Each structure stands twice: as C-alpha cells, then as structure tokens.
C-alpha cells in the first residue's frame, strides 16, 4: 500500500467533476423542511431529521456523542457549537450553513464517502472550525473526500476557515485509487464540484495525514 504523509495549510483548488450538481434541487428540498429554533443540545437531539435550524445561542455539548443530523438551511447567527464527539461522517449530513463556528469537536468515521466536521457536503458562508480533529478509516471500496469543514463543496465556500485542525484519513486497501476509489484530503475540503466558487477562505496550522 502506498503511504503518503501530507502537511497542508490550504487546499483551495479541487479536481473538476465531469458532472454539475444543480443546487436548485437541494434548495427546493430544504424549503419543505420545518424551521426549528435551537437553544441547547437537547433541541438538536429532538429535531435531528430534515429540519432547517436557526441557532439562537452558543451550544456546549459537554463531551456528548452524537450521530449525524439531517439538515437543510443552518443559520448560525454567529454562535459556536463546542465539545462534541461525532460518530459518523459529519455534524450535518448536508446543508447550506452560514455564520457558525465549531470548536473542540472530534469526528470519528469508518467507511467511505464525504466527511468533515460541519457537513458531508453543502454550501458554506462564514463557517469556521477550530481546535478539532478528524479520524477517518475507510472500510469499503469507494471514495473518501475529507476536509476540516466538509468533504465536498457543492457550489460555494465564502469567508470560511479551519484553524488547528488535525486530520488522519487512512483508506482501506480496497478504497485506494488502485482499486477504483479515491482519497482526497484538504484543510478546508476534499473536493469541490465543477464551477464551485471558493473565496476569502483559509486553512491555518492544520496537520493532515493521508494514507491509501
């Protein structure tokens, strides 16, 4: 197995996709979701499937463990989500996330697909990840797109940042490119859809290790 250790500060450019995913379909889907105001961690536990979230306060999970939440629009209103352990590919499965910070978050994932602290895939504006870690172990043939914020940028990432994020992504032997899969890792994201706009965003002091 080919082993590569990477230390990257910024991943801004991504490999172009042969197909263009239209964001309009997701927006129409999100418009059907009910919007919920979130004041504490319990609100997330009670509304963890197909909701839009309006976050009204800083939320400290106190080290609690959660699974990924199915979200649409996420309005962070400048608040912070902290001290949470995620068992899954991301805090949100997908979403249009704005004005939100994640701090002291641990993500542990076994499998393939998109993975990141904030969302597996989506669009992001003024979203930050700080002092967090990601541990990915691929267990199936397929692809691994991993980033501090998300696996895949669907259309845009603007004014976002990842600071002091540690990422370890180890692909199973059947996940490596030699077997028809992909492993791409970056400080911000692992992959961006064709014609995605990445602007005013940065990764700083990110320690990245990729093997596969």
């Amino acid at each position: 197995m080919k082993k590569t250790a990477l230390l990257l500060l910024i991943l801004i450019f991504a490999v172009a996709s042969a197909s263009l995913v239209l964001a309009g379909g997701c927006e129409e889907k999100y418009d059907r979701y009910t919007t919920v105001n979130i004041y504490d961690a319990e609100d997330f536990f009670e509304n963890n499937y197909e909701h839009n979230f309006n976050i009204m306060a800083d939320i400290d999970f106190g080290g609690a463990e959660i699974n990924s939440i199915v979200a649409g629009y996420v309005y962070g209103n400048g608040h912070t989500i902290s001290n949470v352990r995620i068992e899954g590919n991301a805090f949100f499965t997908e979403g249009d996330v704005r004005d939100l910070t994640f701090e002291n978050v641990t993500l542990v994932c076994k499998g393939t697909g998109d993975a990141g602290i904030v969302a597996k895939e989506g669009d992001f504006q003024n979203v930050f990840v700080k002092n967090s870690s990601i541990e990915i172990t691929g267990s199936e043939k397929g692809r691994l797109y991993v980033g501090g914020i998300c696996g895949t940028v669907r259309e845009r990432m603007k004014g976002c940042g990842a600071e002091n994020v540690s990422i370890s992504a180890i692909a199973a032997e059947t996940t490596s490119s030699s077997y028809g899969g992909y492993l791409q890792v970056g400080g911000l994201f692992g992959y961006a859809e064709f014609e995605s706009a990445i602007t005013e965003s940065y990764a700083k002091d990110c320690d990245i290790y990729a093997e596969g």
Side-chain angles (χ1 to χ4, degrees), residues 131-169:
N131 306 317
S132 297
S133 65
I134 299 173
E135 182 179 337
I136 308 289
T137 305
S139 61
E140 302 171 359
K141 182 177 179 179
R143 62 177 174 80
L144 282 169
Y145 296 148
V146 184
I149 289 178
C150 67
T152 293
V153 178
R154 199 158 48 206
E155 188 174 73
R156 65 186 177 275
M157 176 178 284
K158 180 179 181 181
C160 298
E163 301 179 22
N164 192 29
V165 177
S166 173
I167 303 175
S168 174

Side-chain angles (χ1 to χ4, degrees), residues 11 14 19 21 23 33 36-38 59 66-67 83 89 102 105 135 151 172 174 181 187 192-193 201-202 207 211-212:
L11 179 63
S19 62
V21 176
Y33 291 176
V36 178
N37 290 337
I38 300 294
I59 299 174
I66 68 165
N67 299 120
N83 301 316
N89 290 62
F102 287 78
V105 177
E135 182 179 337
T174 54
E193 292 287 355
S201 298
Y202 67 93
D207 187 0
E211 177 183 317

Side-chain angles (χ1 to χ4, degrees), residues 3-196:
K3 299 183 177 180
T4 306
L6 303 175
L7 178 62
L8 303 177
L9 293 182
I10 299 179
L11 179 63
I12 293 298
F13 299 105
V15 177
S17 171
S19 62
L20 174 62
V21 176
L22 297 179
C26 292
E27 290 174 355
E28 291 175 2
K29 179 176 68 175
Y30 298 161
D31 288 341
R32 297 195 297 268
Y33 291 176
T34 300
T35 298
V36 178
N37 290 337
I38 300 294
Y39 292 92
D40 54 32
E42 191 63 31
D43 288 337
F44 272 124
F45 291 124
E46 294 176 355
N47 303 280
N48 62 358
Y49 186 74
E50 292 191 349
H51 286 87
N52 299 316
F53 295 111
N54 191 26
I55 299 175
M56 307 300 291
D58 293 341
I59 299 174
D60 187 339
F61 278 80
E65 182 178 298
I66 68 165
N67 299 120
S68 298
I69 295 169
V70 181
Y73 296 115
V74 180
Y75 303 103
N77 298 309
H79 292 298
T80 298
I81 292 174
S82 62
N83 301 316
V84 59
R85 177 183 173 89
I86 305 164
E87 290 283 346
N89 290 62
F91 192 91
F92 300 114
T93 55
E94 60 177 299
D96 186 327
V97 186
R98 305 177 186 182
D99 305 314
L100 185 61
T101 297
F102 287 78
E103 188 161 9
N104 194 25
V105 177
T106 300
L107 171 69
V108 178
C109 174
K110 296 182 179 180
T112 58
D114 298 338
I117 293 291
V118 182
K120 292 170 59 178
E121 62 177 271
D123 299 319
F124 308 89
Q125 183 170 325
N126 299 326
V127 174
F128 300 92
V129 175
K130 301 178 181 180
N131 306 317
S132 297
S133 65
I134 299 173
E135 182 179 337
I136 308 289
T137 305
S139 61
E140 302 171 359
K141 182 177 179 179
R143 62 177 174 80
L144 282 169
Y145 296 148
V146 184
I149 289 178
C150 67
T152 293
V153 178
R154 199 158 48 206
E155 188 174 73
R156 65 186 177 275
M157 176 178 284
K158 180 179 181 181
C160 298
E163 301 179 22
N164 192 29
V165 177
S166 173
I167 303 175
S168 174
I170 301 176
E173 188 169 328
T174 54
T175 307
S176 68
S177 58
S178 300
Y179 294 82
Y182 301 92
L183 172 62
Q184 294 180 192
V185 187
L188 290 172
F189 57 88
Y191 180 82
E193 292 287 355
F194 180 63
E195 294 187 352
S196 294

